[in-house]
Amino acid sequence: MRIVRSDAPPPPSVVASLAPLLGFVSGIKPTGTGNCQGAVPGGPEIPCDCPPTQADFVKALQANVANGRAVNNTAVPIAFPIDNSVASEAIRVESALSTLQNLRGPGV
């Protein structure tokens, strides 16, 4: 039996299993300006490389969780509690959003 310290980050496999699905793929209906249609047709355009693949997102989230901070913006703390409480789920969602917002650099 493997024992994980309570203050240690969860293992990457646990982070991957709890990472939210992005539910949207990049590159939909390019506009010719470097942007593509966003998640809502007729809504704001987004860069054509957004969002990242699920695999790239999970890899970045795993790195941030292991670091305790966003790797590309160390001012942003990252927590990833693994219990089933609503509060922990909200923290995981916040960490996932921070990961996306800082995927390629601070706020990028």
Side-chain angles (χ1 to χ4, degrees):
M1 178 176 168
R2 183 172 173 227
I3 298 175
V4 178
R5 293 184 359 230
S6 63
D7 62 337
S13 61
V14 173
V15 174
S17 71
L18 293 172
L21 295 175
L22 297 176
F24 186 72
V25 295
S26 61
I28 298 197
K29 295 187 180 175
T31 63
T33 63
N35 290 326
C36 287
Q37 175 182 297
V40 178
E45 296 177 359
I46 61 172
C48 284
D49 62 350
C50 290
T53 65
Q54 186 72 22
D56 287 345
F57 165 62
V58 168
K59 183 178 176 182
L61 182 59
Q62 289 167 329
N64 288 347
V65 169
N67 191 46
R69 298 198 162 277
V71 172
N72 292 323
N73 189 354
T74 56
V76 177
I78 299 290
F80 207 81
I82 59 173
D83 65 84
N84 291 325
S85 71
V86 172
S88 289
E89 184 176 358
I91 292 169
R92 290 193 302 267
V93 167
E94 184 177 326
S95 292
L97 289 172
S98 292
T99 295
L100 287 171
Q101 291 170 336
N102 295 284
L103 192 66
R104 295 181 179 92
V108 182

